[in-house]
Amino acid sequence: MAQVGIFVGTVYGNALLVAEEADAILQEAGHQVQIFDEASLSDWQQYSDKVALIVTSTTGQGDFPDSIATLFHAIKDQLGHQPQLQYGVIALGDSSYDHFCGAGKQFDELLQEQGAKRIGELLTVDATEDPEPEIVTSPWVEAWAKLI
């Protein structure tokens, strides 16, 4: 089974709740999981040859929550090619904003540019349609757990 680091970007706590649900599902599937809220670059690098799951909301005009912004910029500025990394992204957002799920989409684009291998599809969750995101994310995580 895989070692999975869940990297969380949250403002109001929804992304952290999704991450905690994902943690339970992944552990039940036999994976070793650790959640990182306010992760450092060294936390990220522990999973460079393992599996990362990014669970992030979006603020403002497609911006990152403070709890994951520093990590994103460190990965962008300090790391290059990451071909051994496997990852998934759950992006939470509100479709009434121009940059719907912008933070999650930017994270996905960066990791694609760095040669990481995305497992499954990027999941976008719209708060206007799904005020309880785990209803959408839990089935996705169950399927994703079988792919890693």
Side-chain angles (χ1 to χ4, degrees):
M1 292 287 125
Q3 291 183 20
V4 182
I6 302 178
F7 297 86
V8 182
T10 192
V11 176
Y12 299 113
N14 279 346
L16 184 57
L17 290 173
V18 168
E20 290 169 347
E21 287 282 324
D23 178 19
I25 292 167
L26 291 167
Q27 286 194 43
E28 189 174 302
H31 300 293
Q32 294 179 4
V33 186
Q34 185 169 358
I35 295 177
F36 295 93
D37 189 14
E38 306 274 345
S40 68
L41 185 60
S42 64
D43 293 330
W44 178 265
Q45 289 176 304
Q46 292 176 33
Y47 290 86
S48 64
D49 60 348
K50 298 174 181 68
V51 182
L53 176 60
I54 296 94
V55 180
T56 187
S57 58
T58 299
T59 65
Q61 295 301 311
D63 300 322
F64 289 94
D66 290 343
S67 63
I68 202 166
T70 302
L71 176 64
F72 174 83
H73 292 294
I75 293 168
K76 183 177 182 181
D77 297 340
Q78 298 176 40
L79 296 182
H81 205 53
Q82 299 188 74
Q84 300 301 315
L85 176 69
Q86 298 180 68
Y87 75 96
V89 178
I90 297 174
L92 307 178
D94 182 328
S95 62
S96 66
Y97 288 87
D98 290 339
H99 301 283
F100 173 60
C101 291
K105 290 175 180 177
Q106 287 181 65
F107 225 121
D108 180 52
E109 289 171 14
L110 173 64
L111 296 177
Q112 288 288 300
E113 288 170 10
Q114 293 183 338
K117 180 182 178 194
R118 184 178 64 219
I119 306 298
E121 293 299 316
L122 167 77
L123 177 64
T124 58
V125 182
D126 186 353
T128 61
E129 292 180 14
D130 298 296
E132 295 179 21
E134 60 278 357
I135 292 171
V136 176
T137 61
S138 291
W140 183 93
V141 173
E142 288 171 5
W144 191 77
K146 295 173 184 170
L147 299 175
I148 58 177

